[in-house]
Amino acid sequence: MIYNISSDENPMIKHIKQLARRKYRLEYGEYMVEGVRIIRDGLENNSSIKSIVFSERLYNTSGGEGLLQDLLEKNIKIYQVPESIFLKLSDTQNPQGIIGIFSCKAYDLDAILNCEKSLFLILDRIQDPGNLGTIIRSADAAGFDAVLLTKGCVDLYNLKTIRSTMGSIFHFPIIHVGKTKDVIQHLKAETIKIVSTSLETNKYYDEVDYKGRTAFVIGNEGHGVLKEVLDLSDELVKIPMKGKAESLNAAIAASIMMYEAVRQRRNQKI
């Protein structure tokens, strides 16, 4: 059933506006997603969709009407609003006319650690939403077990982050773990090798064995991995820089590291 909303003073509209702020996303355990493709991804991955808000524009968007019909069949609460109200809620330059409210999903780190050949990515204070989303997408594609977000990372439910994951956010384990130092000590106690990126080493990333249980640490875009984390690491590695560029984008560096592990394990039965 579709409910009509005509006023931006409606409680649902106020609620969606609140979800634009991290404070309220944490308070309600919900986040906002915008666009036909990514909401379709959420639906197909059985994510918990709390409600949908759409405008007339959706009917003129490719795949929009079909998505709306599929959502109606799932008995999800759906609200239609005037275009003027929808534009106040939208975060994109070219809105497609649909916004979804999803429940945040929680994963149990200790349960995931049970995998014999675990591969993890620890993100140490990553700040750029696009980097975070791209790293999550790459980790999903590379077959990693989880991405661990430490204290100080950009908000996972930032709309730019969500878009950059290209749907991975709906099915790939992403876990908030607190301080980087604490999670590393926890993983080391589980006999997981900690490999951090650092310019202060002579060892290259492809000179280390990643066939066993391994966690890569990717540091903050401007400052790299914390010294206390480097001191706890089992291996420090770097990616060779042959040109004049001083550094790589964090998402590119993470992808290079992850796919070296994939290369080494290619002929193994994991």
Side-chain angles (χ1 to χ4, degrees):
M1 182 175 179
I2 297 175
Y3 302 90
N4 286 293
I5 294 176
S6 58
S7 170
D8 55 10
E9 293 299 313
N10 183 279
M12 173 55 66
I13 302 304
K14 290 183 176 181
H15 181 63
I16 294 174
K17 288 180 178 179
Q18 285 183 316
L19 292 179
R21 298 174 60 186
R22 181 174 187 170
K23 169 186 174 181
Y24 292 106
R25 292 194 288 267
L26 291 172
E27 180 178 333
Y28 297 124
E30 297 174 354
Y31 62 100
M32 182 171 67
V33 169
E34 183 174 357
V36 169
R37 177 176 175 177
I38 196 160
I39 292 176
R40 166 68 69 186
D41 286 342
L43 181 64
E44 292 179 351
N45 280 284
N46 297 314
S47 295
S48 178
I49 305 176
K50 301 290 290 290
S51 55
I52 293 289
V53 172
F54 78 98
S55 71
E56 190 74 21
R57 179 186 297 240
L58 180 64
Y59 293 114
N60 297 317
T61 300
S62 177
E65 196 164 356
L67 173 60
L68 184 61
Q69 185 59 45
D70 290 342
L71 290 165
L72 283 166
E73 291 176 2
K74 294 290 185 179
N75 294 318
I76 295 166
K77 289 184 178 180
I78 300 176
Y79 303 88
Q80 183 169 5
V81 300
E83 188 71 10
S84 58
I85 292 179
F86 188 87
L87 291 176
K88 293 178 182 179
L89 303 176
S90 175
D91 181 65
T92 62
Q93 290 185 342
N94 298 296
Q96 295 183 342
I98 188 167
I99 289 170
I101 306 303
F102 287 71
S103 294
C104 298
K105 190 172 184 178
Y107 292 90
D108 182 353
L109 175 59
D110 288 328
I112 294 174
L113 287 176
N114 287 332
C115 179
E116 182 182 352
K117 296 289 186 178
S118 302
L119 280 172
F120 295 96
L121 193 65
I122 302 170
L123 301 184
D124 180 25
R125 300 163 299 124
I126 293 295
Q127 291 296 297
D128 183 83
N131 276 343
L132 177 56
T134 301
I135 289 170
I136 290 168
R137 180 184 178 186
S138 295
D140 182 12
F144 269 53
D145 292 285
V147 166
L148 311 183
L149 304 184
T150 64
K151 184 178 181 180
C153 279
V154 66
D155 183 17
L156 171 62
Y157 300 110
N158 178 294
L159 281 167
K160 185 176 180 181
T161 300
I162 293 169
R163 285 194 292 269
S164 297
T165 71
M166 294 297 289
S168 292
I169 192 170
F170 297 126
H171 61 261
F172 181 75
I174 308 158
I175 307 172
H176 291 88
V177 292
K179 292 183 179 179
T180 311
K181 180 179 178 180
D182 293 341
V183 71
I184 284 178
Q185 290 174 331
H186 183 58
L187 266 58
K188 284 174 72 73
E190 296 289 334
T191 66
I192 294 174
K193 180 192 293 183
I194 306 299
V195 181
S196 293
T197 52
S198 172
L199 295 176
E200 305 303 319
T201 181
N202 293 320
K203 187 175 289 186
Y204 290 116
Y205 75 102
D206 56 356
E207 296 176 336
V208 175
D209 185 351
Y210 305 130
K211 297 186 186 73
R213 308 177 81 202
T214 305
F216 294 123
V217 183
I218 302 297
N220 173 274
E221 293 92 340
H223 304 287
V225 178
L226 287 168
K227 184 181 184 304
E228 63 181 7
V229 173
L230 295 176
D231 292 341
L232 285 171
S233 301
D234 298 299
E235 298 279 4
L236 302 181
V237 299
K238 65 181 179 181
I239 297 169
M241 304 291 293
K242 299 299 185 182
K244 294 183 179 180
E246 294 182 356
S247 63
L248 288 172
N249 170 280
I252 297 297
S255 297
I256 290 171
M257 297 285 293
M258 288 189 285
Y259 271 91
E260 174 59 19
V262 171
R263 184 193 68 78
Q264 291 186 16
R265 291 165 171 237
R266 188 180 300 154
N267 297 320
Q268 284 189 318
K269 291 183 178 180
I270 303 299

